[in-house]
């Protein structure tokens, strides 16, 4: 099979097509003939050498795929060859075939193309476990999404709105802000031009927001705490702006704030499987009705993975980038 290898840490050009033997599924696993694979920021970090795969995971990048089950391993129940699935994986997605734990597979939503389905797992698993499980966002509460035009951001805006929350977002251009508002954000703030703390205090009559989903970190931490309401929750999912910060703990005590966060890739199959069960029950009806949909900015042939990474690093896209197998 054709795979995309990381020849050495470096720029997009180190992503190299290569041939490898087709893998075989082990107990509790399925082999997927990959029709499409999502491209995510952690793939870029892995390519740069700053985010190695967890022990036992494939060295091939790619954390989400969609396609047809080609082979079912021992002890697998509920799936069979020919089923159309999308799956969260710990690596191996940039390939013509990919092994996935059966509990991390979900059916392709009815009527949805593989290219769209491949843009679901990484972002929907991440948003569900962080915003709704760890952040405990409830109907009637408010959510601030930093990076609202990203794959995670576009997913969070839609899901929060669908479940009855008021949504705010930040983004880096007028076009991206307009996209966030089109997806359901009450207001999107261009962080390059406007202080989001002041803007949100005004928009909430000084109350602040209940939950913040942040992938920036760094000096955003203190500013996020400033804009949280009483009993507010800050959920950290990445540290693109830095992993260290200094804060004043007094507001945390006075307003009973919670700071939490998580990573997804290294969690156990059982934990990811539990998230999949919740998604199938709570979110799949929204996907199948069209109330919520993955936002795909562009697709690229598998062999052009380097071009997809260049677009990712340029930061001009809205939503997800997807690799397509045309063989």
């Amino acid at each position: 099979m054709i795979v995309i290898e990381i020849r050495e840490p470096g720029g997009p050009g180190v992503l190299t097509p290569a041939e490898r033997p087709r893998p075989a599924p082990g107990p509790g696993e399925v082999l997927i003939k990959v029709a499409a694979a999502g491209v995510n920021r952690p793939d870029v970090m892995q390519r740069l050498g700053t985010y190695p795969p967890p022990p036992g995971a494939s060295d091939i990048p790619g954390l989400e795929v969609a396609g047809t089950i080609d082979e079912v391993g021992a002890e697998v129940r509920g799936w069979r060859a020919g089923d159309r699935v999308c799956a969260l994986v710990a690596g191996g997605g940039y390939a013509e075939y990919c092994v996935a734990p059966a509990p991390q597979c979900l059916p392709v939503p009815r009527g949805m193309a593989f290219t769209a389905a491949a843009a679901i797992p990484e972002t929907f698993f991440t948003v569900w476990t962080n915003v709704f499980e760890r952040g405990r966002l409830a109907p009637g509460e408010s959510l601030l999404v930093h990076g609202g035009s990203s794959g995670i951001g576009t997913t969070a805006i839609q899901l929060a709105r669908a479940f009855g929350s008021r949504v705010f977002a930040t983004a880096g251009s007028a076009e991206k802000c307009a996209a966030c508002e089109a997806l359901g954000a009450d207001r999107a703030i261009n962080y390059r031009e406007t202080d989001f703390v002041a803007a949100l205090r005004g928009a909430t009559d000084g109350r602040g927001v209940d939950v913040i989903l942040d992938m920036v970190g760094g000096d955003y931490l203190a500013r996020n705490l400033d804009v949280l309401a009483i009993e507010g929750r800050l959920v950290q999912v990445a540290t693109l702006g830095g992993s260290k910060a200094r804060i004043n703990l007094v507001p945390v005590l006075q307003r009973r704030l919670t700071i939490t966060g998580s990573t997804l890739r290294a969690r156990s199959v059982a934990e990811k499987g539990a998230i999949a069960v919740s998604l199938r029950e709570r979110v799949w009806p929204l996907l199948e009705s069209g109330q919520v949909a993955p936002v795909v900015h562009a697709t690229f042939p598998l062999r052009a993975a380097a071009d997809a990474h260049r677009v990712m690093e340029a930061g001009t896209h809205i939503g997800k980038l997807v690799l397509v197998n045309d063989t």
Side-chain angles (χ1 to χ4, degrees), residues 165-190:
S165 296
R166 187 183 187 193
V167 186
F168 301 97
T170 63
S173 71
E175 179 187 12
K176 290 182 176 182
C177 286
C180 293
E181 292 175 353
L183 288 170
D186 285 50
R187 180 179 177 186
I189 301 155
N190 186 339

Side-chain angles (χ1 to χ4, degrees), residues 215-242:
M215 58 193 75
V216 181
D219 63 6
Y220 264 40
L221 177 57
R223 299 167 70 193
N224 284 332
L225 297 182
D226 283 346
V227 81
L228 278 174
I230 292 174
E231 300 282 2
R233 289 85 73 193
L234 168 62
V235 188
Q236 200 74 42
V237 294
T239 57
L240 298 176

